[in-house]
Amino acid sequence: MNVVKSMDEAWKYILEKLREKGATGKNAEIVADSLVYADARGTKSHGIHMLAAYLERIEAGGMDIEASPVVVKENEASVVIDACNGFGQAGVRTLADTLLKKAEHMPVVCGCVRNLNHCGALAYYTEYCAKKGYIALLFVNANPTVAPFGAMEAILGTNPLSVAVPTKDEPIVLDMASSAVAKAKIYQAAKTNSKIDASWALDEEGNPTDDPNRAIAGVLNAMAGPKGYGLALVVEALAGVLSGAGITKEVSSVHKGVQKGMNAGGFLILVNPGAFLSKEEYNRRMEQLIQDIKGAKPRPGGQVFLPGEIEQRRYKKSKIEGIEYV
Amino acid sequence: MNVVKSMDEAWKYILEKLREKGATGKNAEIVADSLVYADARGTKSHGIHMLAAYLERIEAGGMDIEASPVVVKENEASVVIDACNGFGQAGVRTLADTLLKKAEHMPVVCGCVRNLNHCGALAYYTEYCAKKGYIALLFVNANPTVAPFGAMEAILGTNPLSVAVPTKDEPIVLDMASSAVAKAKIYQAAKTNSKIDASWALDEEGNPTDDPNRAIAGVLNAMAGPKGYGLALVVEALAGVLSGAGITKEVSSVHKGVQKGMNAGGFLILVNPGAFLSKEEYNRRMEQLIQDIKGAKPRPGGQVFLPGEIEQRRYKKSKIEGIEYV
């Protein structure tokens, strides 16, 4: 049963479901924005698919729908936000909005957020900042699923990072986990009885495996071996340690321990390109880079996209044609 | 013929060779520091091995040994440095020193450097900043050797990034190229007639290859497919576009076009942890993260190291036992 909903219908549907649990107002709207944004871009793992988990946590008393993020500490170029175990989306969006104001007057600003629940797709926040003219680097930690390089025990999270860079048209938007793959891909392979890439995960004995079922019993690898492990650790230091949020096993899964908050954290840096180049010069130079990339000879059957480009095209299509839910 | 030199002997050797070309003073000493640092850490690709290329460029008139970096533009939290086509090491070190002063008074500062020649190991600069208490993120662009994801043409450089994070003991130091592998590893495989990992490179027809000779004729891949490509592009935007340096093909190889400067660029962000946590709290929380990582159950035959830990151990050993040159 495939259903096509307009983005507006999907948005209203989410708000209705949240309202049934008592969540209304600005924060609930940000949650709906974030989930519809992800679905519209084709990144469904962070779309309405997540709503059930949010509702379950509210139901179980693990997320405080009354809470709004508060500023714990700030100065002209930095801020510490406590998301107070409310919606994760409200926490990171407040961090972004607070820093956007500061970035008007500073070449670079940064801040963090703690007591954070699941915040959806990171691109939602970085693209938002890039559309206002800032280069945004966002790091968020997550519950342990990934083994440090050389280990066979899940210590680090999928620890995603997103960087968005303004251009004269759509921003370039990178949004990636530092794990080799999303665990969902391994579950998918198990369902369809397919083999997985042996670099994705270790089995219960700590050996590489192409068997999705053995991988599910084992642990995820970081992407690109020690490099991805290093990036995941940097994310944990910025988003976990500096923010005052949970560190590694102190962060819980969005699907487990729903009687309590997740206690994740985030760290956001905004760079004002105007501190370095005039707007004209910046746009001209970014355009030069984009032309170089887009002009690269494609490999057989290949096509070159900028990071985020496929998602932006999909978003435009979804605006007109709606989102297909299966 | 293996020769063991003490770090001090190696340092003096480099200075002597630079002096023969007329390069003396502080800038030459920074070059020697950087190359000895890399050799002492076991990252020989960025050690004395590079000296011949520097001397060749000086000889050919492509690098200005008289030049010292100048501040083009600055305010309380940012700076633009022109390395004036002198030694790359002097350029990035000046960027670091300038920002370190600003970071004493600000939660976050950032800056860039242009007209940059080869600057050696990025860890040299980020570890230096982390030892003074700052989280340092450094990005440097390089001449085209890497194909954008979906392409078969070298457009992006190996575009390395380094992040160093202070701890109460040695900093955590990540230093990595965003390419799948260093091209030197492929040359090494060709020499020993070994196959390479098929994810490393494409052949001349743009297809994955495990034949090092076909890879040499082809192009490097970014690490981890679209993720590494995205990171390489972000590095190019920060270090190339924002800095005012060369963009993609405007940057030349350290080994080619030696009659001219390389025109690379760098971008450095320093975060002051003190803006977020007291020193005690920061150290305690970082220690907690480190214990979690180091306590992870090792996989069969595996061992867990922090990023930079192997290199730091090697450095301490080199201080006592000297550096072995083959």
Side-chain angles (χ1 to χ4, degrees), chain A residues 73 75-80 106-112 135 137 139 148-153 155-156 161 163 165 172 174 176-177 179-181 202 205-208 223-224 226-227 229-231 233-234 236-238 240-242 244-245 247-250 267 269 271 273-277 282 285-286 288-289 292-293 295-300 302-307, chain B residues 73 75-80 106-112 135 137 139 148-153 155-156 161 163 165 172 174 176-177 179-181 202 205-208 223-224 226-227 229-231 233-234 236-238 240-242 244-245 247-250 267 269 271 273-277 282 285-286 288-289 292-293 295-300 302-307:
Chain A
K73 188 177 175 179
N75 74 16
E76 60 189 321
S78 71
V79 70
V80 178
M106 301 297 296
V108 59
V109 298
C110 73
C112 55
I135 298 171
L137 302 94
F139 310 85
F149 189 74
M152 56 183 282
E153 188 184 348
I155 303 289
L156 292 161
L161 64 96
V163 184
V165 180
I172 292 172
L174 174 68
M176 58 183 249
S179 55
V181 74
L202 302 174
E205 276 86 49
N207 295 310
M223 66 170 193
K227 296 182 182 187
Y229 155 57
L231 285 174
L233 187 50
V234 165
E236 196 71 29
L238 292 171
V241 171
L242 261 194
I247 298 168
T248 70
K249 58 185 176 290
E250 294 171 347
F267 192 84
I269 301 172
V271 175
F276 301 97
L277 299 170
Y282 174 79
R285 289 174 62 81
M286 274 307 298
Q288 181 183 332
L289 172 56
D292 286 352
I293 296 288
K297 185 176 175 190
R299 55 182 295 259
Q303 195 178 345
V304 180
F305 296 98
L306 295 170
Chain B
K73 188 176 176 181
N75 75 16
E76 60 188 322
S78 71
V79 69
V80 178
M106 301 298 294
V108 59
V109 297
C110 72
C112 55
I135 298 171
L137 302 94
F139 310 84
F149 189 74
M152 57 182 282
E153 187 184 349
I155 303 289
L156 291 160
L161 64 97
V163 184
V165 181
I172 292 172
L174 175 68
M176 56 183 250
S179 56
V181 76
L202 302 173
E205 276 87 49
N207 295 311
M223 66 170 195
K227 295 182 181 186
Y229 155 57
L231 285 175
L233 187 51
V234 165
E236 197 71 29
L238 292 171
V241 171
L242 261 194
I247 297 169
T248 72
K249 57 186 175 292
E250 294 171 346
F267 192 84
I269 301 172
V271 175
F276 301 97
L277 300 170
Y282 175 78
R285 289 174 62 82
M286 274 307 297
Q288 180 184 334
L289 172 56
D292 287 353
I293 296 288
K297 184 176 176 189
R299 55 183 294 258
Q303 196 178 345
V304 180
F305 297 98
L306 296 169

Side-chain angles (χ1 to χ4, degrees), chain A residues 149 199 222-228 231, chain B residues 143-149 156-161 175-187 196-202 208-209 215 219-233:
Chain A
F149 189 74
S199 70
M223 66 170 193
K227 296 182 182 187
L231 285 174
Chain B
N143 60 297
T145 49
V146 173
F149 189 74
L156 291 160
T158 53
N159 289 10
L161 64 97
D175 184 358
M176 56 183 250
S178 51
S179 56
V181 76
K183 205 149 189 181
K185 273 208 182 174
I186 298 180
Y187 281 105
I196 58 169
D197 189 300
S199 70
W200 289 1
L202 302 173
T209 181
V219 63
L220 282 179
N221 280 325
M223 66 170 195
K227 295 182 181 186
Y229 155 57
L231 285 175
L233 187 51

Side-chain angles (χ1 to χ4, degrees), chain A residues 151-152 198 201-210 214-215 218-219 221, chain B residues 299-301:
Chain A
M152 56 183 282
L202 302 174
D203 65 18
E204 273 181 296
E205 276 86 49
N207 295 310
T209 182
D210 60 7
R214 300 203 69 184
V219 63
N221 281 324
Chain B
R299 55 183 294 258

